[in-house]
Amino acid sequence: MVLFSQFLFVVLWKCCIAEINTEVAMIGDVVQSMQRPTAIVATVCWSPVKKNQFLRFRSEEDEGDDRISMVQFIDPETVPEINEHEQFLLFLVDMSCNNISRYFERSSSKNHFRTPFRWLLVVDSTVENDENNVPNVIAHIDALPDSEIVVATEMGNNTYILSCIYRVGPSTEWLAEPYGAWKPETRLQIDKAIHTQSLALRRLNLARYPISICYVLTNNDSYNHLTDRINDHIDTITKGNFLTTNFLLDFMNATQSWSFTNSWGYKVNGSWSGMTGYLERNQVEIGGSPMFFTSERAAIVDYVASPTPTRSKFVFQQPKL
Ligand SMILES: *[C@@H]1O[C@H](CO)[C@@H](O)[C@H](O)[C@H]1NC(C)=O
Ligand SMILES: *[C@@H]1O[C@H](CO)[C@@H](O)[C@H](O)[C@H]1NC(C)=O
Ligand SMILES: *[C@@H]1O[C@H](CO)[C@@H](O)[C@H](O)[C@H]1NC(C)=O
Ligand SMILES: *[C@@H]1O[C@H](CO)[C@@H](O)[C@H](O)[C@H]1NC(C)=O
Ligand SMILES: *[C@@H]1O[C@H](CO)[C@@H](O)[C@H](O)[C@H]1NC(C)=O
């Protein structure tokens, strides 16, 4: 009996490999093309045979190259908790699964559409989508320029067209970058720009989208002298950074949207004041004035580079002779 079931398995394996292999091979090729170690979290409605094929396939393809380190199959009701190795994770989704929209909503609320996660969405002819190949079920998801979502759309004849989709801001129109095409004869033909330019450079043009920045001014008159160098010993650090951040917005073709406050922000009775409050309430995207790193703020603020060296000094008055 045991022998018989093994025999059956081998027969099944042989019979179906030629038939389904294209999708499995396509997924393997796309993951390889990302040139990063990858752990796959797969939400697919595949038969056990196809799942098995996928596991077998990638271990054969990866001979001597452990780019795909793990594959985990989950059902659409489960959105995984991720605490480590986020940079390796790729969410693979078969868009023809039933009731997949709730899975995307919960993933979105857990920020899984942000960096460093990656997505590969496999779309067949049963899935409704728009002219950019954006499937309708994710049309309302905010996948901003830091997201990395590859959509593989089946065009018939085992041919796939691949594109990378994102939107500049919440509810703005979807944009698509060509990623490549996959055919059984040629395998993956990747678009040149995908390899030669990083994601940040490809998505530099924010099409005049307003980026809101909060600055700290301790003196009311500083507002009138942000760029003219009058009283540049007052609120120096903000006046210096005001220029830098405006260059940044020009560089990204974004429009300026400024807020001003008179403090860096402290936690008072459970709510944050000042600039930290603006950041915590998501009223602004960037804190424009450099701010000291405190453990309390670090819990809610992401610090980037320090634009101004800061140090403490004791100053002694020279004794009178
Ligand atoms: C899928 O959605 C349909 C209606 O939208 C519902 O009746 C069905 O129970 C759902 N299935 C699952 C597994 O949640
Ligand atoms: C599939 O390929 C055949 C032959 O190459 C072609 O005649 C047919 O139009 C193709 N079908 C689609 C849907 O691309
Ligand atoms: C900035 O965005 C606007 C609106 O999309 C566009 O017309 C303009 O060409 C862009 N400028 C640059 C330098 O890309
Ligand atoms: C600065 O302006 C605020 C409100 O506009 C006002 O309450 C405050 O008294 C002013 N401070 C000074 C020093 O003028
Ligand atoms: C904090 O809350 C207490 C009690 O509600 C109140 O008496 C106090 O004035 C509040 N402090 C500030 C700075 O709002």
Side-chain angles (χ1 to χ4, degrees):
M1 193 58 208
V2 171
L3 272 177
F4 175 70
S5 68
Q6 279 178 353
F7 174 71
L8 190 67
F9 177 73
V10 171
V11 172
L12 276 176
W13 172 246
K14 286 257 156 82
C15 84
C16 307
I17 196 156
E19 203 175 297
I20 325 173
N21 216 346
T22 52
E23 184 177 348
V24 167
M26 183 277 292
I27 293 168
D29 286 354
V30 174
V31 172
Q32 292 286 329
S33 77
M34 292 175 173
Q35 302 183 336
R36 272 183 276 171
T38 301
I40 297 181
V41 176
T43 310
V44 291
C45 310
W46 293 349
S47 64
V49 175
K50 191 167 171 186
K51 286 182 182 173
N52 205 319
Q53 203 179 25
F54 185 62
L55 296 172
R56 287 279 296 268
F57 171 81
R58 61 107 192 157
S59 58
E60 280 163 22
E61 286 278 301
D62 284 353
E63 212 74 55
D65 165 11
D66 53 354
R67 226 156 238 164
I68 301 180
S69 58
M70 181 204 86
V71 179
Q72 185 193 357
F73 290 105
I74 60 169
D75 69 84
E77 292 301 306
T78 322
V79 173
E81 290 291 340
I82 293 142
N83 302 317
E84 54 181 14
H85 302 312
E86 301 180 334
Q87 69 277 23
F88 298 145
L89 273 191
L90 180 134
F91 295 99
L92 168 69
V93 185
D94 173 2
M95 300 298 283
S96 57
C97 291
N98 288 326
N99 296 8
I100 200 80
S101 63
R102 265 162 56 84
Y103 176 71
F104 287 117
E105 266 149 41
R106 276 176 295 179
S107 298
S108 175
S109 66
K110 289 195 173 182
N111 280 335
H112 289 178
F113 284 95
R114 306 215 47 185
T115 192
F117 300 110
R118 283 170 281 157
W119 290 79
L120 174 55
L121 312 180
V122 183
V123 171
D124 67 16
S125 55
T126 64
V127 177
E128 293 170 25
N129 56 14
D130 74 1
E131 73 277 10
N132 275 338
N133 289 335
V134 178
N136 290 354
V137 284
I138 64 156
H140 61 286
I141 300 272
D142 289 331
L144 303 180
D146 66 339
S147 68
E148 201 170 344
I149 306 177
V150 177
V151 181
T153 310
E154 228 242 293
M155 307 306 283
N157 277 7
N158 292 328
T159 301
Y160 290 85
I161 298 291
L162 296 121
S163 52
C164 240
I165 57 167
Y166 72 102
R167 63 207 319 182
V168 164
S171 313
T172 61
E173 60 169 349
W174 282 94
L175 303 170
E177 304 162 322
Y179 190 92
W182 194 96
K183 274 188 230 169
E185 311 84 59
T186 58
R187 305 288 287 259
L188 181 65
Q189 303 276 299
I190 196 163
D191 201 87
K192 208 168 173 195
I194 296 287
H195 261 328
T196 52
Q197 277 195 313
S198 72
L199 193 121
L201 284 177
R202 296 200 313 263
R203 301 180 180 178
L204 203 54
N205 185 354
L206 298 187
R208 314 299 303 152
Y209 188 81
I211 300 284
S212 47
I213 305 186
C214 179
Y215 299 95
V216 180
L217 294 177
T218 58
N219 183 307
N220 288 355
D221 189 45
S222 294
Y223 185 79
N224 304 316
H225 302 293
L226 284 169
T227 53
D228 60 10
R229 309 209 55 187
I230 293 173
N231 288 337
D232 62 5
H233 60 291
I234 301 172
D235 287 323
T236 314
I237 200 162
T238 294
K239 288 174 180 172
N241 237 45
F242 185 74
L243 298 173
T244 321
T245 47
N246 283 334
F247 282 132
L248 174 69
L249 298 189
D250 282 349
F251 183 62
M252 301 197 302
N253 197 18
T255 28
Q256 300 142 348
S257 165
W258 302 319
S259 305
F260 296 93
T261 178
N262 60 5
S263 115
W264 280 267
Y266 304 90
K267 200 168 186 177
V268 184
N269 280 352
S271 59
W272 284 92
S273 63
M275 188 171 83
T276 312
Y278 275 83
L279 290 166
E280 193 245 355
R281 293 187 297 273
N282 288 326
Q283 277 174 293
V284 296
E285 301 198 42
I286 300 177
S289 298
M291 177 165 75
F292 281 122
F293 192 101
T294 67
S295 56
E296 210 177 20
R297 285 176 185 151
I300 58 159
V301 174
D302 286 327
Y303 285 82
V304 288
S306 165
T308 322
T310 327
R311 59 206 152 149
S312 308
K313 279 187 177 177
F314 291 103
V315 179
F316 295 99
Q317 190 175 26
Q318 190 177 31
K320 288 198 174 78
L321 293 174

